[in-house]
Structure formats: structure tokens, C-alpha cells
């Protein structure tokens, strides 16, 4: 029998859910029974402006379809407003079970031309935003012994993309945040994973070219909804989803070259072992910094 995924009694927060990808997640979580906080300050792709319309229209869609949702217009960028998003969930629905950190903006510029303001604006929404929302949510999840986080990264952060030093740094930072929440949340059944989506939204409409028609944001949704579910078996992982393809990104580590205990090799000696240092024929996927220390310990022995 096929397993079904329901979210009855679950409370979900989706940031940046007034359009694009976040709207898809919010609609589906609500359709499957979750009570949803639809957070969005309703600004432009660059982060300017603001309107209640974006969040309100998604709440209307959910309610019209028979679901439960409440709008939140707070920005994720400040600790106080991040806390208010969580407070909205608690006041309206009693708790928080699921947080999808999805809010995002773009301020693309080649690095030589990028201003400090463009760096701050992007770090504030993506990285500090996720921290601001996750921190109060984590405390509640820890107390209740249950939680699901999905953080939105990007191939621009995991792999790099021209003109996105601010965005790439923020998006890679989200992988670090998720990994630590996964480790700290382990014994409380708090699972934390990362999605790296590819989809045609207002954020990417000028970037995707001929592929755009094949990249419906709805296609990213099932992966995120799975990761939000009680049945989700994974934590500390990164998934790519876009255009109907679902895949895993991972950080692997090979055995490397061991110079020997308490030895400082010369640069010349090290340079003779670069192939072993870089070889990826065999590798592990460590799940914490302790794993790497253990790997080193094995070589000492
Ligand atoms: N579309 C893609 O191919 C793609 C690829 C990689 C990553 N992403 C990421 O996916 C997420 C969703 O992007 P999207 O493509 O749906 O674009 P989008 O512009 O449609 O969605 C982003 C939403 O975040 C909201 N937002 C911006 N700043 C906010 C703030 N301070 N507080 C609350 N809400 C805020 C916006 O109003 C907007 O509705 C972003 O984090 C983006 O970086 C998208």
C-alpha cells in the first residue's frame, strides 16, 4: 500500500510564502491538513517595498480550498520580527512543528562592483533571516520533542555562480546552519535538511533562458513536503529539486594522504602526494565534525 502523507494537527511556517516556491509549499502543506503561517513582507525581488497582498492572497487561496492559514507580514531580517513570526504561529495555532526558511531576495553584482550594502541586504534576508526564525522555533521544538526544518540553499551557494558572491555566501551558510540544527536536534526528533531548488519564478525569470518552461515551481514542492513530514527519515542532508529531477548533494571526504603522526612534511613531500589528497575514487560522507576527527583517529591507529 502506498504511504500517504498528512499534516493534521501540524503547524507550519513558510517564510516568503506569498509567491513563487513558498506559495507552493504553503498550499500543499495546508491541503494535507497543516495549519500554515504564510509569512511574506511582499517586497520586490531586490528586497525593496512591501505589501500585505502577497501573504493575504495565499491565505485566501488556502481558506477558499477549505484549509487553515494566517498571514504574517513580518520581515525575517530582525531578531524581533523573526520572533514575531513564531509568536504568530503560537498565538493562532498553539505551537510550531515545521519551519521552511524560504524568504529570499537578489542583489546580483560582480564581486569587484558589489557594495557592502548589497552584501548586508542579502545576508540579512537569507542567512540572518533563517537564524532569526529558526532560533525561537528550535526552542519550542526542543521542548516538545518534535520538529522539521527545511532551509533553502541554492546551487549558487553550493557550487558557485558568477555575480552572486553575497547570495552564494548566504546560501552556503544555510547548509552550515542546517547541519548544526540537525546535530543539536537529533535527540529531540528535530530534523533539519536543505533544499536547493531550480524553478521559474519572478526571481529567476530573466536567468533561466530556454529551460524556463520546464521548471514549474510546483515540481520542487513534493521534495520539500516530504522533508517536512513525520515520515521523513533524513536529517543533515541536502536535496536538489527542479524540472522533475530529485537528487542529493553531499559533502564527501576521501581518505586523503597521511604524513604520519607528529610529522610536518615539507611542501615538496606533500606535492608528491597530491593525487592521493585529491582522489575521489573512495570517499565517506561525514555527518558531523566528530566524524572527521574519528577518520583522523583511524589513521593515527
Ligand atoms: N527559483 C529558483 O530557481 C531558486 C533557485 C535557488 C534558490 N532559490 C531560493 O528559493 C527561495 C524562494 O525563491 P523564489 O524563486 O520563489 O522567489 P520569489 O521572489 O518568488 O520568493 C521569495 C519570497 O520571499 C519574500 N521575501 C523577501 N524578503 C523577505 C523578508 N525579509 N521577509 C519575509 N519575506 C521576504 C518575497 O516577498 C518573495 O515572496 C529563495 O530563498 C531563493 O533564493 C530559488
Amino acid at each position: 500500500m502506498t504511504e500517504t502523507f498528512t499534516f493534521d494537527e501540524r503547524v507550519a511556517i513558510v517564510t516568503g510564502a506569498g509567491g513563487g516556491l513558498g506559495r507552493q509549499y504553503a498550499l500543499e502543506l495546508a491541503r494535507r491538513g497543516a495549519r500554515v503561517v504564510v509569512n511574506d513582507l511582499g517586497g520586490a525581488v531586490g528586497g525593496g517595498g512591501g505589501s500585505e497582498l502577497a501573504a493575504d492572497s495565499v491565505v485566501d487561496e488556502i481558506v477558499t480550498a477549505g484549509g487553515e492559514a494566517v498571514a504574517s507580514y513580518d520581515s525575517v531580517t530582525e531578531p524581533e520580527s523573526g520572533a514575531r513570526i513564531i509568536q504568530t504561529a503560537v498565538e493562532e495555532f498553539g505551537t510550531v512543528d515545521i519551519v521552511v526558511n524560504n524568504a529570499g531576495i537578489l542583489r546580483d553584482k560582480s564581486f569587484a562592483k558589489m557594495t557592502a550594502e548589497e552584501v548586508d541586504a542579502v545576508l540579512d534576508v537569507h542567512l540572518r533571516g533563517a537564524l532569526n526564525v529558526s532560533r525561537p522555533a528550535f526552542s519550542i521544538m526542543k521542548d516538545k520533542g518534535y520538529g522539521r526544518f527545511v532551509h533553502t540553499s541554492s546551487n549558487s551557494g553550493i557550487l558557485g555562480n558568477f555575480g552572486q558572491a553575497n547570495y552564494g555566501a548566504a546560501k552556503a551558510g544555510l547548509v552550515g546552519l542546517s547541519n548544526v540544527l540537525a546535530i543539536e536536534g537529533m535527540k529531540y526528533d528535530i530534523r533539519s535538511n536543505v533544499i536547493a531548488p531550480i524553478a521559474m519564478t519572478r526571481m529567476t525569470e530573466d536567468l533561466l533562458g530556454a529551460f524556463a518552461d520546464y521548471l514549474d515551481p510546483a515540481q520542487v514542492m513534493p521534495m520539500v513536503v516530504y522533508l517536512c513530514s513525520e515520515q521523513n527519515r533524513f536529517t543533515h542532508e541536502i536535496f536538489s529539486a527542479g524540472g522533475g529531477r530529485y537528487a542529493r548533494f553531499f559533502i564527501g571526504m576521501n581518505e586523503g594522504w597521511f604524513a604520519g603522526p607528529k610529522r610536518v612534511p615539507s611542501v615538496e613531500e606533500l606535492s608528491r602526494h597530491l593525487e592521493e589528497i585529491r582522489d575521489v575514487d573512495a570517499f565517506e560522507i561525514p555527518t558531523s565534525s566528530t566524524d572527521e576527527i574519528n577518520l583522523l583517529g583511524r589513521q593515527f591507529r
Side-chain angles (χ1 to χ4, degrees):
M1 207 182 73
T2 313
E3 195 176 17
T4 53
F5 290 80
T6 58
F7 292 86
D8 299 336
E9 308 302 318
R10 294 294 178 205
V11 176
I13 294 171
V14 183
T15 68
L21 288 159
R23 171 176 164 270
Q24 298 291 337
Y25 312 151
L27 291 177
E28 186 66 10
L29 287 166
R31 201 179 69 78
R32 289 174 180 271
R35 290 165 289 170
V36 182
V37 176
V38 176
N39 163 260
D40 207 303
L41 56 51
V45 175
S51 150
E52 298 186 354
L53 280 177
D56 282 347
S57 74
V58 175
V59 169
D60 283 349
E61 272 187 89
I62 291 173
V63 172
T64 305
E68 270 189 85
V70 66
S72 140
Y73 318 110
D74 282 302
S75 172
V76 297
T77 51
E78 307 297 327
E80 298 75 24
S81 49
R84 273 201 304 274
I85 299 171
I86 305 306
Q87 206 183 322
T88 301
V90 173
E91 279 169 9
E92 296 288 330
F93 302 132
T95 188
V96 180
D97 300 290
I98 296 161
V99 170
V100 182
N101 283 311
N102 166 80
I105 62 166
L106 283 185
R107 296 277 175 92
D108 292 1
K109 202 65 90 54
S110 64
F111 193 46
K113 293 188 183 140
M114 190 173 282
T115 64
E117 199 274 330
E118 285 158 346
V119 171
D120 282 343
V122 168
L123 289 180
D124 280 353
V125 177
H126 294 273
L127 188 53
R128 291 204 183 81
L131 285 156
N132 292 336
V133 173
S134 302
R135 220 153 30 91
F138 190 91
S139 301
I140 294 172
M141 292 172 178
K142 183 172 171 236
D143 286 346
K144 69 193 283 184
Y146 184 85
R148 298 287 182 265
F149 282 102
V150 179
H151 310 275
T152 310
S153 185
S154 164
N155 50 23
S156 303
I158 298 165
L159 306 171
N161 193 29
F162 190 95
Q164 295 196 311
N166 49 1
Y167 183 80
K171 288 308 203 188
L174 284 159
V175 174
L177 169 64
S178 180
N179 286 343
V180 174
L181 298 196
I183 291 164
E184 291 194 11
M186 194 85 75
K187 70 175 182 202
Y188 308 105
D189 194 14
I190 298 173
R191 299 182 194 177
S192 181
N193 292 285
V194 171
I195 186 83
I198 307 174
M200 216 295 278
T201 64
R202 65 176 199 169
M203 188 182 272
T204 52
E205 60 193 351
D206 301 329
L207 309 171
L208 294 171
F211 266 135
D213 276 355
Y214 295 91
L215 299 170
D216 184 346
Q219 292 171 300
V220 176
M221 172 275 291
M223 190 77 237
V224 170
V225 171
Y226 175 79
L227 294 173
C228 290
S229 72
E230 201 170 321
Q231 291 102 318
N232 163 30
R233 292 188 286 125
F234 308 117
T235 192
H236 199 280
E237 298 204 1
I238 309 168
F239 295 93
S240 160
R245 173 176 170 270
Y246 305 90
R248 182 181 177 192
F249 271 118
F250 54 86
I251 297 169
M253 175 167 263
N254 66 5
E255 185 136 349
W257 168 64
F258 185 51
K262 297 191 176 180
R263 271 197 71 231
V264 181
S266 67
V267 182
E268 288 76 12
E269 185 185 3
L270 178 133
S271 74
R272 287 196 297 277
H273 294 276
L274 290 175
E275 275 190 29
E276 287 152 82
I277 291 170
R278 296 191 64 255
D279 177 60
V280 286
D281 280 351
F283 59 84
E284 294 185 28
I285 304 174
T287 56
S288 67
S289 57
T290 314
D291 274 4
E292 191 193 1
I293 303 294
N294 289 341
L295 209 142
L296 183 58
R298 274 205 322 258
Q299 286 174 319
F300 285 139
R301 289 194 290 278

